[in-house]
Amino acid sequence: MSESSHRPSRSLSPGQWSFTRWKTIGQLEALEVHHPLFRATLFLQGAHLTQFMPSDEPDWLWLSKDARFEPGRAIRGGIPVCWPWFGDPGKNAPAVRKRIHTNSAHGFARTALWKLEDVRENAHEVEISLSLDANEDFANVWSGHALALITFHFSVRGCQLALTTTNLGEEPMAFSQALHTYLPTSDVTRSRVLGLGYSQYIDTLDDWEYKNQEGPVYFEGETDRIYESGEPLTIVTPSGSRKLTSVGSDSTVVWNPGPEKAARLSDFPDEAWKTMLCVETANAASDYRVLNTGQSHTLGVLIGRK
């Protein structure tokens, strides 16, 4: 998914990093990127990106004003990594569900501590890789052994994520996942998603009924849909547009809590639903994946300019 022929140079020692620095935010450790062309903030807990902004531009991601940065607590906003299952465990396919030993939604990766693998930098780009070894340490919530490696690629042209899962177990492993991207808008009721027209979707708010999308996706209140599409998307808001291009995905989740659910959500201001929307690159519902021993799968998204 590389968007440029320039490859950031290897830098093994933090002392040699030119643009990347450690920072403690709340109670969590983060990497802050201060590049002349862009800025980014990435937490080790959850491999959670909370900020990406090219110079002299507003943040391309939405982060709740009430977000809390505490061990074991998912951060509200940015791009949470939902892995190795997405959503309610009971709504996953049987092959995925049988490995899950908790009622908690969205997997354990978003609150686990990931390991820094590499930082590469040059005058044009920064690339950061983190890993999570899902081994017996997680046996109380999930059965399996897998390695998750996520790479973040930042440049003035956009922000790219690639999440690669490798099955290290001795039997086939089924899993679901999503890159749960929160995007900002000045008015969600005047925003729309292009590229999902005429695709089928599951309306989770209407007894998980299958429906057909006609034209753009608009937001008129709570929205929670799993689309059977991995096509490139354009997100249009009153202030502009973004293009989302996915890899390794045949499903897209579109979500906004609306006013009633927003009032019940943790770390989420009651009126914040008006200023955000989620468009998630996923392997969800029937788009779950199965890996044999040693096999890998990469789920990726490029958030770029239209």
Side-chain angles (χ1 to χ4, degrees):
M1 287 184 65
S2 179
E3 60 181 15
S4 169
S5 60
H6 298 289
R7 297 295 300 171
S9 58
R10 179 175 292 275
S11 179
L12 298 177
S13 168
Q16 296 175 352
W17 298 342
S18 298
F19 311 117
T20 305
R21 297 287 183 270
W22 288 107
K23 184 171 184 181
T24 301
I25 301 175
Q27 301 175 44
L28 302 180
E29 290 299 305
L31 289 163
E32 280 201 336
V33 179
H34 289 255
H35 193 280
L37 300 178
F38 51 85
R39 296 181 63 174
T41 304
L42 174 63
F43 286 82
L44 263 62
Q45 178 173 284
H48 197 138
L49 182 68
T50 59
Q51 178 193 62
F52 173 73
M53 47 197 305
S55 297
D56 302 321
E57 293 188 35
D59 202 334
W60 286 23
L61 302 176
W62 181 89
L63 180 66
S64 172
K65 291 181 173 61
D66 291 349
R68 294 162 66 180
F69 307 102
E70 302 172 359
R73 188 182 192 93
I75 300 169
R76 179 71 69 182
I79 308 182
V81 177
C82 302
W83 183 94
W85 68 90
F86 170 77
D88 180 349
K91 294 297 186 180
N92 276 265
V96 177
R97 188 167 63 239
K98 72 177 185 179
R99 293 181 170 271
I100 306 170
H101 315 306
T102 175
N103 293 324
S104 297
H106 296 320
F108 52 80
R110 64 190 183 134
T111 55
L113 191 62
W114 292 58
K115 175 186 176 184
L116 176 63
E117 291 290 346
D118 202 7
V119 176
R120 297 168 179 252
E121 303 179 332
N122 68 23
H124 307 282
E125 305 160 315
V126 173
E127 186 176 277
I128 300 175
S129 298
L130 305 175
S131 68
L132 178 64
D133 186 0
N135 53 27
E136 63 275 3
D137 291 346
F138 300 94
N140 61 322
V141 294
W142 183 73
S143 296
H145 187 193
L147 179 68
L149 177 69
I150 188 166
T151 298
F152 299 83
H153 188 104
F154 309 116
S155 77
V156 72
R157 290 172 299 281
C159 167
Q160 174 183 305
L161 286 71
L163 174 62
T164 299
T165 301
T166 302
N167 181 11
L168 301 180
E170 297 180 354
E171 59 183 33
M173 183 190 82
F175 67 105
S176 58
Q177 58 183 341
L179 301 171
H180 195 305
T181 306
Y182 286 78
L183 299 166
T185 175
S186 59
D187 183 354
V188 73
T189 65
R190 296 169 55 210
S191 303
R192 60 194 185 276
V193 181
L194 309 179
L196 294 170
Y198 311 110
S199 60
Q200 273 200 324
Y201 67 90
I202 299 171
D203 190 342
T204 71
L205 303 177
D206 189 11
D207 200 28
W208 286 65
E209 288 288 327
Y210 274 90
K211 300 180 180 180
N212 291 310
Q213 179 67 39
E214 296 183 4
V217 180
Y218 291 95
F219 299 86
E220 298 175 350
E222 185 177 359
T223 304
D224 193 352
R225 303 172 180 176
I226 304 173
Y227 285 84
E228 294 184 337
S229 173
E231 292 300 310
L233 305 175
T234 301
I235 318 303
V236 181
T237 70
S239 56
S241 60
R242 293 274 174 263
K243 186 172 183 181
L244 272 62
T245 306
S246 66
V247 167
S249 167
D250 291 314
S251 54
T252 300
V253 179
V254 178
W255 180 76
N256 179 280
E260 294 182 5
K261 186 167 185 177
R264 303 193 303 269
L265 287 176
S266 61
D267 309 337
F268 195 98
D270 289 355
E271 299 297 311
W273 67 275
K274 299 176 182 178
T275 63
M276 53 70 63
L277 56 99
C278 284
V279 180
E280 310 167 35
T281 303
N283 295 131
S286 62
D287 185 35
Y288 73 93
R289 299 302 165 106
V290 179
L291 297 175
N292 292 320
T293 300
Q295 282 189 325
S296 298
H297 169 71
T298 297
L299 175 72
V301 62
L302 171 63
I303 306 170
R305 302 177 188 278
K306 175 57 181 171

